Amino acid sequence: MKDGSRFDTWTSAVIIVGYAIPGFLFAILLIILLAGGSFLQHIPAARIDLGRLVAISLVLEIIDYFWHLTLPLISMALAPSPP
């Protein structure tokens, strides 16, 4: 793209703001947005319900375990790393 264009300005601003947000604050923001804090309830934020796991198969138990790891993994992947 061209230097100084509207796209260049907006993407640079998003990148600078993204690097300014600490990882723990980004994780809290994801919990609020995706795990039922105020908006959506797509990703579970609570611990795994062990009583429910007794009744499901091993494959579904593994899938449920990885579903509970989704939010921490997204947070770790998208949070800025120190230089």
Side-chain angles (χ1 to χ4, degrees):
M1 295 292 174
K2 294 170 67 176
D3 185 33
S5 67
R6 196 178 282 191
F7 177 78
D8 182 47
T9 304
W10 277 100
T11 55
S12 296
V14 168
I15 290 171
I16 290 170
V17 169
Y19 274 121
I21 297 174
F24 69 90
L25 190 60
F26 186 69
I28 292 171
L29 179 67
L30 283 177
I31 289 172
I32 291 171
L33 292 177
L34 298 176
S38 296
F39 298 103
L40 304 172
Q41 294 183 357
H42 292 301
I43 298 174
R47 62 183 170 86
I48 298 172
D49 185 12
L50 295 176
R52 189 176 65 85
L53 289 180
V54 174
I56 62 175
S57 69
L58 179 63
V59 174
L60 291 176
E61 185 177 341
I62 292 170
I63 291 171
D64 188 54
Y65 183 76
F66 281 111
W67 182 241
H68 279 81
L69 285 175
T70 305
L71 194 62
L73 290 176
I74 290 172
S75 175
M76 288 171 46
L78 294 178
S81 60

